[in-house]
Structure formats: C-alpha cells, structure tokens
Amino acid sequence: MSLGYPFDEAATARAVIAEDGTLTSWNEGAHRLLGWSAEDVLGRPAAELVEGTAPELRGTRWDGTLTLRHQDGRTVSVWLLAHHQWPPEGGAGHWLVVTPLDSPGRRPPGDPLEESALAQAPCAVAVYDERLRLHFVNDAMARTLGLPQEHIQGLRLSEIGGKPQSEELEENLLQVLTSGRPRDVQTYLRAGGEEHAHAWLARMTAVTDSAGQVRGVCMAAHDISDSHLARERLQLVNQASVRIGSTLDVTRTAQELAEVCVPALADFVSVDLLDADEQSGDPPARIAVPVGLRRIAHQSVNPGSPEAVVKPGEFDFYPATSPQADSLVAGRTTVVSVSGGDLEQWLARSRERRERVREYGIHSTMSVPIRARGTTLGVVVFSRFRRPEPFTDDDVLLAEEITARAAVCIDNARRFSRERETALALQRSLLPRRLPRTAAVAAASRYLPAARAGVGGDWFDVIPLSGMRVAMVVGDVVGHGVQASATMGRLRTAVRTLADIDLAPDELLTHLDDLVVRLAQENGSEAGRPGELGATCVYAVYDPVSRRCTVARAGHPAPVMLPPDGPPREMEVPAGPPLGLGGLPFECSELYLSEGTVLAFYTDGLIWSQDRDEEAARTTLRAALAQHAQSLDETCDRVLAALLPPSGIADDVALLLAATRGLPADRVATWDIPADPALVSPIRKQVVEQLATWRLDEASFTAELVVSELVTNAIRYGARPIRLRLIHDTDTLICEVSDTNHTAPHLRRAKTWDEGGRGLLLVAQLTQRWGSRHTADGKTIWAELGLFEEPG
C-alpha cells in the first residue's frame, strides 16, 4: 500500500484568473462555496462574480474580503488570497485565488496535537516564570541539558548551567523580563553530557497574559555550530590574506603564517623550509629522504613555544617515517595521530620528541607542503594538544587554503631576498671599498640599502684630480634592483672617465646627461622621461691651493656646508634638471671655503619620509652636523641616527662628508715664463733654488729635466702668457705649465733620425703620471713626481 498525500482538494476553494480577467480554472471547492459549476463560469470575466466593483490585482500577492454572488442569488462574504504566478515553461501569467472552506477549530481537551505542540517541537524551548525560575522545558531542551524537567523545574538558568555563559544568558533573560523586548544572544558552550562545545543562538521573548502583562520569558535555543564554524573559517582566511605577507622578508612572513593559525586552527605551528641550492638559488627540484629542513618560525599557545625541539634558524633531518618527510615526498597533506600509532616509528628515533609529545599531550598532527609556482618550498606542521578534537577534513581544506596563500608570499619574499642580495653584492662591488687619502680633503661615507623597496642606485665617490684637487660626487639612479645597480655602475665609471679629463662640473653633467639619454633609448624609453631611466647627481671640485670649490647639480639635493666659524647652511647651487631629460643646461657655483669646512653630500633617502616634513628633516640634518664630533665617522653615525627610523628605511641612503684642507702658501711657487727659449736656463736655476728651500735636493735633477721639457714645449707650441707652478705636497711634487693655447699635447713616436719629439716621452718616463687639462684661458700640462721629504 503506497502512502499518498493526505490532501482534500475540496477543502479549499481554488480559481485561476488569466491576465485578461477571465476564469481559466474552477475546482470542486469553488463549486461548494458559490454553487457555480466549472461549465458555468470558465471563460467568463471573474468580475461578474463580485458584488460591486472588483479590486485591481497588482504586485505579486493580494488578500482581502469580497462580497461574491452565489448561484442561488444570494451574496457571500469571503476572505480571498491571490498569488500572481508565471508558468514554468514561460508565457502569460495568471492569478491563483484561494480560500479555506473547512476551519479545524479548537480541538477537545487531551488531543495529542494540543498537548505535544510545544513538548515535541524539534527546537529546544524553555519557559521561565516572573522570578526567572524554570517553569517548563520541552523534550528537545531536556535532551540538550541532559536533565529531566521534573528534576530541574524551579531552578534558575545559572543554577542549571553552572557556567559563566549561563550567567550571561540569565542577565539577558532579566532584560527581556523587565523591558518586554525580545533579544537574540549568541554563545559558545558545552551542553550537558556533550564532549565538545557548540555555538548556540538563544532567542528570548516575553510571555504575556491576555492583558499584555509580562508573566515570564520563553527561550528557544538553536545550534548554529555549522554556520559559526563556517564564519570562523572565513574570518581566518580573511585574516591570513591581510596579515600574511606584510613584508618581503621570508622569516617575518613565515612567522605571520604561524601566528595566524594559533590558536584558531592549531595549538602549535612550525614552518620549515628547504635550503636553496648554492648554484641556482632555488630549492631542490627532487626531494629525497631524509629531508633536510631549516626551522624558519614557530608559534604556540604556550609562551616561549616549549614544545619545539628545533629552534628557529636550526637545520634538522627528517626520516621517511616523519610527518614532514611523508608530506613532502607525497606532495600532499598528511594527517596523523598518536592514538592511531602513525607516529610510533618516528618518535622511537627521537627520545626528546617522544618526551615532548607525552609531556604536552600532543595527539594530532597535520603536515601541509608549501608550494608556489610549481616549486616545493617547505612544510607547515599543525599540532593539537589543548584542543581535544582531531583534525577534520574541513581543517585540512582550511590549512591548505591558508598555506597556499602564505606560499606565494614566502616565494615572493624569497625571490625578493635573492634579487636584493644580488643587487647589493653588485652595488657594493661597484662602490668604492675605501675612500682615497688626499691632501685636499679628509672624507668619510656611509651607504645603507633600503629595507623594503630593495637595493637602489645610490652611489658616491672621491676622485683625486691633477694639481692636488679632488672631485666629490653623489648620485641617485631612479628605481631599485639589479637594473638600478648596473646603471649606477655605468654612471660611476662615466663620471670617473670624464673627471680624468678635467671637465668643469657643468660640462661633466652635460656629458653625463647625454649618456643617460642614450641608456634610456637603449632600454626603449623616450628621451625626456626620467621616470623610465633617470638619475640625479651633484658634482664638486675643490682646489686646496686656491681653496675654492666649484659645484654643479642635476636635480639633486644641495650640499650642506659647515664652516669652522659659523652655523651649517645649504650651498647656493642652481638645481639643474635631472639627468636624462636631455638638452637642458647646467650651471656652476664657485665659493671660497675656509680650511676645516665640512661638506655634506647625500641622497634624498636621508631626508625623505612619508611621516616627516622634508624641511624639518633638513633642519635635523643641519643640527646633527653642527654638533661637535671627534671624527667624520662619528658625525656620519650621528646624522644617520638622527634622521633614519629604527624600523628600516624606504629608500637607499648615501652620505659623504668631506673636511677641506688648505695648502700653505709657502708650498706653492709660481713663475711667469718669457717666450724666449734662451731664458729657460734662469728658470731652471730658480726651480733648483726653490727645491733647496723645500729640502728636496734629491729631486732636483729630475724636476729640472721635467720643468725644462714642459717649459720648452710651451714656448715652442703654446701661446702667451705662459706660467710655471710648483706644488709641494708631503710625498708629491707637482709641476704645472699653463698657456693660452687650447691644443692638447700628445705623445708621438720619434724616428731614429728625428732631432726632436721625445720631450713628453721623457716626461712620462721620469714622473709617476702626467696629463693635461683645459682651463677657461687655455690648457695646463702637469706632471707628478714621487718624493720623500728630507728630515728638517
């Protein structure tokens, strides 16, 4: 015997009205209600059955009371409910109109439907009286509490539950009792007789009598553990996406992964990574047991993570029976438990691990491989001991989701670290390892790479020039990474090459600007767009004889000078355009510097910060320079400490400090040379006498030959006026001959029968180095002789 639907179709009057208002369906219940048969009404307007004006049906539902015409001529007042429906197969809609014919009425006393309406309801319900004493619980609530009604009737909720959550629920019952307004309360507790806690929604409403007086409170409890757990998992995934990967640091990212999952998913989490191959820099492509892993981070619900056997930074091998090795070799998540005997072989190998598992009660372990972009980076191990329940399939999915997100961040940090180390090694190889010692300045420098953005293209240099002069340069290439470091190396080499031919600062920057434009074009960028490939630079030349400094800059911060007898101030140097714009001029500034003046050259990373005003940073820089220091190195450290945040810098910082020195006037001798070769002999004699005064008699013979050749060459090929200058440094004698002819000399190979052509070749053989430089009036040919000053 099949069980059919217990529906009596004639107990409801049903009719269907088409969109045009005609009746298209009429059941037996409608016939019973109004006496009209289906043949009598189908196809006729429904409004004909309404006494008076028929209502206009709108929207999706209508209800109301209408006076309808009966077939026998009388009228019937009927409440109707109408629904607007659309056929599943499409087409025109219609209105379904219904009304009940048989009312069930009140049931007799003792009827099961009356008695079990609340007691047998599937929802757990409890009713408390005006004293908040338990009056009634249905069967579902009794099962939830694990106590029968006859034993707990008359107790308060806090007395029945005995937990802090019970007291909180009772406080909410009191608020409903006193205010009459319903309340919904969510709580998380373990009901009577249950092993695990559940999430509950307690819906409380006031129970009133016929006069509206509050006589008690009814509370219905709904188990919302599934939705609560789903919400918690979603929140954990969201926290992972926000908190993991806040920096491009592998260790910090791994620690963030562990912190996110404790205690939300596990009681102890460890993150172990495979060491990178020395050649490729990537983790090994094939994993073989025993697997070598390095502990990067771990986190525990216990302070100090006492469960950990391996400390962060330590390396350990894991055999085939370990969860870490099993997971990595299989390439999937593995879940094992102590009770299942899955860890016996591994724990048998390590007494220390076995004792930790026994001491802290670790019962379940889940190992998830860390994989990103097809590469296995390591493994995350989740362990539980405080939470009694083992890992579930949902826990596995959640752990894999969080680990997958963290894996991308760890891989990004790993790649960034590797590129940063490469760029830093490249940049340090291109920067001067030590600054040259010169008679013109005493110098000290600092370079700090960016903590987050990566190594940039900041550089500095001190370049000795002829005539005891010195060039100082600080520059900054746009961008970060290996490309910026490589570009910096090319620009630094170009500056040294251009400085070697003694170009004026503005001319040097013009040539450097052309180079940057060409480099940008090689990279496919358009000229005039320094954001693609550009740089800034400041270049200064200091002459200790004249004590004058010539400076030009290309979009770079102006140097700061600290005179020995005054406060620090910025040097007034025209800003100039950044390198790479092309075609725009640069200007020089020249000023006299007292001996002991400190010059500070720096890149904008020293003063730029999102959290600080740039002008305030410049003020701080000047204040740090003004403080007395024992050395330039101490001043460098003080400047960096005053301006840089302890949390790390966002851009590279290059700082170069130089204290100027002056050459005493008695160390320089100058002669105006007549344009007569016959008068060279008296000049040689005066040179010998001057060398005797300087106690350089041992160098007289060589110096006399060099002076003779240079002066004779200037008289023969140069133009008036001609001037000879000797500069005596501690271990160097410099001979300079200047004239107004701009043609530079050059060495040539003299043939056997040639009477001349060997002068400059002789100078090159007798001196440490020689060369020529262009001046505003012509040129200067110079030569340096190494010497040892006789003791006085």
Side-chain angles (χ1 to χ4, degrees):
M1 178 179 178
S2 62
L3 182 63
Y5 286 104
F7 297 150
D8 180 7
E9 292 294 340
T12 301
R14 296 164 57 93
V16 176
I17 304 174
E19 293 289 358
D20 61 0
T22 61
L23 289 165
T24 59
S25 178
W26 189 266
N27 77 338
E28 182 59 28
H31 182 201
R32 287 178 54 196
L33 177 65
L34 297 179
W36 302 98
S37 66
E39 292 79 6
D40 295 334
V41 297
L42 291 181
R44 296 173 57 186
E48 294 182 356
L49 299 178
V50 180
E51 181 73 20
T53 304
E56 183 178 358
L57 300 180
R58 294 180 178 179
T60 59
R61 196 181 79 170
W62 178 91
D63 71 282
T65 301
L66 295 179
T67 302
L68 304 180
R69 295 190 178 97
H70 198 275
Q71 192 269 344
D72 60 9
R74 59 188 174 90
T75 58
V76 180
S77 181
V78 182
W79 178 84
L80 299 177
L81 175 63
H83 301 279
H84 190 264
Q85 297 180 337
W86 297 93
E89 63 275 6
H94 60 261
W95 286 87
L96 171 65
V97 184
V98 297
T99 188
L101 296 181
D102 298 332
S103 175
R106 294 187 58 84
R107 292 184 174 269
D111 188 279
L113 291 180
E114 291 287 340
E115 290 187 350
S116 65
L118 192 60
Q120 299 181 19
C123 177
V125 177
V127 178
Y128 294 85
D129 61 19
E130 61 271 15
R131 299 176 304 160
L132 291 184
R133 299 285 178 178
L134 181 65
H135 173 73
F136 167 82
V137 293
N138 67 351
D139 297 344
M141 180 63 81
R143 288 193 299 270
T144 299
L145 297 175
L147 298 169
Q149 173 177 321
E150 59 269 19
H151 291 167
I152 59 175
Q153 195 170 17
L155 294 178
R156 291 166 44 193
L157 190 151
S158 59
E159 297 169 339
I160 298 171
K163 300 180 181 65
Q165 297 93 325
S166 305
E167 297 179 359
E168 180 183 354
L169 289 173
E170 189 174 74
E171 292 177 0
N172 284 274
L173 287 175
L174 178 60
Q175 293 184 22
V176 174
L177 182 69
T178 55
S179 67
R181 293 191 295 270
R183 295 180 69 87
D184 288 347
V185 181
Q186 292 189 22
T187 187
Y188 193 82
L189 54 81
R190 181 172 58 85
E194 291 187 327
E195 295 182 357
H196 307 302
H198 290 265
W200 297 90
L201 172 63
R203 315 203 74 167
M204 307 174 185
T205 184
V207 177
T208 59
D209 56 18
S210 58
Q213 184 71 27
V214 177
R215 302 298 302 275
V217 180
C218 177
M219 181 180 70
H222 305 272
D223 188 345
I224 58 170
S225 298
D226 291 341
S227 60
H228 176 76
L229 185 58
R231 188 164 55 250
E232 274 193 338
R233 295 181 186 278
L234 183 61
Q235 184 178 2
L236 184 58
V237 172
N238 181 63
Q239 286 184 358
S241 63
V242 173
R243 293 176 55 186
I244 299 176
S246 61
T247 65
L248 284 172
D249 180 79
V250 174
T251 301
R252 182 58 205 156
T253 303
Q255 187 64 44
E256 289 168 347
L257 167 60
E259 291 174 354
V260 164
C261 296
V262 175
L265 184 58
D267 300 316
F268 176 75
V269 174
S270 62
V271 182
D272 299 308
L273 297 184
L274 296 160
D275 276 354
D277 182 76
E278 293 183 1
Q279 300 296 328
S280 64
D282 294 321
R286 183 177 178 274
I287 299 175
V289 292
V291 182
L293 295 170
R294 188 173 301 279
R295 177 63 51 85
I296 303 301
H298 56 223
Q299 183 70 19
S300 171
V301 293
N302 295 320
S305 301
E307 313 86 354
V309 176
V310 181
K311 298 179 180 179
E314 292 183 350
F315 189 85
D316 198 7
F317 285 96
Y318 295 85
T321 55
S322 65
Q324 292 88 339
D326 290 345
S327 176
L328 289 174
V329 172
R332 56 180 173 79
T333 302
T334 60
V335 179
V336 296
S337 64
V338 174
S339 60
D342 305 313
L343 298 174
E344 287 185 2
Q345 294 185 22
W346 183 46
L347 296 179
R349 292 171 174 262
S350 174
R351 178 182 177 183
E352 187 176 7
R353 283 190 171 89
R354 186 169 63 253
E355 291 177 351
R356 298 288 174 88
V357 168
R358 185 183 301 111
E359 178 181 358
Y360 293 98
I362 298 174
H363 59 82
S364 299
T365 296
M366 174 171 54
S367 302
V368 184
I370 304 174
R371 292 182 56 84
R373 301 179 177 96
T375 302
T376 300
L377 306 176
V379 64
V380 186
V381 179
F382 304 83
S383 301
R384 283 183 177 176
F385 50 86
R386 182 175 294 181
R387 295 176 61 164
E389 62 271 13
F391 290 106
T392 65
D393 292 341
D394 290 337
D395 293 328
V396 171
L397 294 176
L398 179 60
E400 290 177 341
E401 171 70 18
I402 296 175
T403 302
R405 292 171 180 262
V408 175
C409 298
I410 291 175
D411 190 51
N412 289 339
R414 180 184 65 86
R415 292 169 181 263
F416 170 79
S417 298
R418 185 174 63 183
E419 180 179 345
R420 185 172 185 272
E421 289 173 1
T422 302
L424 187 56
L426 174 62
Q427 184 160 29
R428 283 176 174 167
S429 68
L430 297 173
L431 288 174
R433 295 187 178 182
R434 61 180 63 89
L435 298 178
R437 298 179 61 184
T438 67
V441 296
S445 63
R446 294 292 185 273
Y447 169 74
L448 296 177
R452 295 180 293 276
V455 179
D458 292 17
W459 92 92
F460 59 88
D461 212 345
V462 175
I463 308 169
L465 302 177
S466 63
M468 295 184 63
R469 296 171 304 127
V470 65
M472 295 160 287
V473 58
V474 170
D476 185 0
V477 175
V478 173
H480 296 86
V482 175
Q483 179 65 34
S485 296
T487 303
M488 177 273 290
R490 300 175 74 172
L491 295 184
R492 177 172 178 256
T493 302
V495 170
R496 278 190 159 266
T497 303
L498 296 171
D500 195 48
I501 59 177
D502 265 320
L503 292 179
D506 55 341
E507 294 181 44
L508 184 141
L509 292 182
T510 300
H511 286 282
L512 203 61
D513 182 48
D514 294 337
L515 174 61
V516 175
V517 170
R518 289 197 300 272
L519 292 177
Q521 292 172 349
E522 290 176 6
N523 290 348
S525 304
E526 299 177 5
R529 296 179 65 185
E532 300 292 336
L533 177 61
T536 64
C537 182
V538 58
Y539 183 80
V541 175
Y542 173 68
D543 185 350
V545 177
S546 65
R547 300 185 183 180
R548 304 197 70 82
C549 183
T550 306
V551 188
R553 60 187 179 118
H556 201 86
V560 177
M561 57 178 292
L562 174 63
D565 55 353
R569 66 179 186 274
E570 286 190 357
M571 299 179 70
E572 296 182 1
V573 184
L579 300 174
L581 290 180
L584 299 177
F586 300 94
E587 298 181 42
C588 286
S589 289
E590 185 177 88
L591 65 160
Y592 177 84
L593 299 180
S594 302
E595 183 172 1
T597 298
V598 176
L599 301 177
F601 304 86
Y602 59 92
T603 55
D604 57 4
L606 182 67
I607 60 174
W608 181 87
S609 173
Q610 293 180 343
D611 306 324
R612 180 179 56 195
D613 179 65
E614 190 169 315
E615 187 56 40
R618 295 180 190 275
T619 302
T620 304
L621 170 61
R622 293 192 292 268
L625 289 173
Q627 298 180 25
H628 176 72
Q630 298 296 328
S631 64
L632 290 179
D633 284 311
E634 183 180 332
T635 303
C636 284
D637 295 336
R638 184 172 60 235
V639 168
L640 297 182
L643 287 167
L644 301 185
S647 59
I649 54 178
D651 194 10
D652 286 25
V653 172
L655 174 65
L656 175 64
L657 299 183
T660 63
R661 297 167 177 164
L663 194 67
D666 59 3
R667 292 284 183 132
V668 181
T670 306
W671 295 272
D672 290 326
I673 306 299
D676 185 354
L679 299 178
V680 174
S681 179
I683 297 297
R684 291 201 304 265
K685 184 179 179 181
Q686 295 179 36
V687 168
V688 172
E689 292 174 354
Q690 181 63 54
L691 294 179
T693 303
W694 286 340
R695 298 179 181 276
L696 300 178
D697 295 322
E698 290 185 359
S700 296
F701 178 75
T702 304
E704 187 177 0
L705 287 177
V706 171
V707 168
S708 179
E709 291 297 336
L710 294 182
V711 170
T712 302
N713 196 64
I715 294 174
R716 182 175 299 174
Y717 302 108
R720 295 182 182 180
I722 302 172
R723 176 170 294 180
L724 168 65
R725 184 170 73 163
L726 296 182
I727 303 174
H728 174 212
D729 191 15
T730 304
D731 53 3
T732 306
L733 177 65
I734 302 173
C735 304
E736 295 183 346
V737 177
S738 304
D739 67 84
T740 56
N741 189 337
H742 290 274
T743 302
H746 62 277
L747 286 174
R748 68 184 180 89
R749 179 177 296 176
K751 298 179 182 179
T752 305
W753 53 84
D754 286 346
E755 296 182 359
R758 298 179 178 84
L760 291 181
L761 180 60
L762 180 62
V763 170
Q765 295 296 321
L766 294 175
T767 60
Q768 288 182 333
R769 62 183 189 134
W770 76 280
S772 66
R773 65 176 181 268
H774 290 279
T775 63
D777 301 325
K779 67 177 181 298
T780 297
I781 305 174
W782 54 270
E784 292 183 2
L785 287 76
L787 50 85
F788 295 95
E789 187 174 4
E790 295 182 3

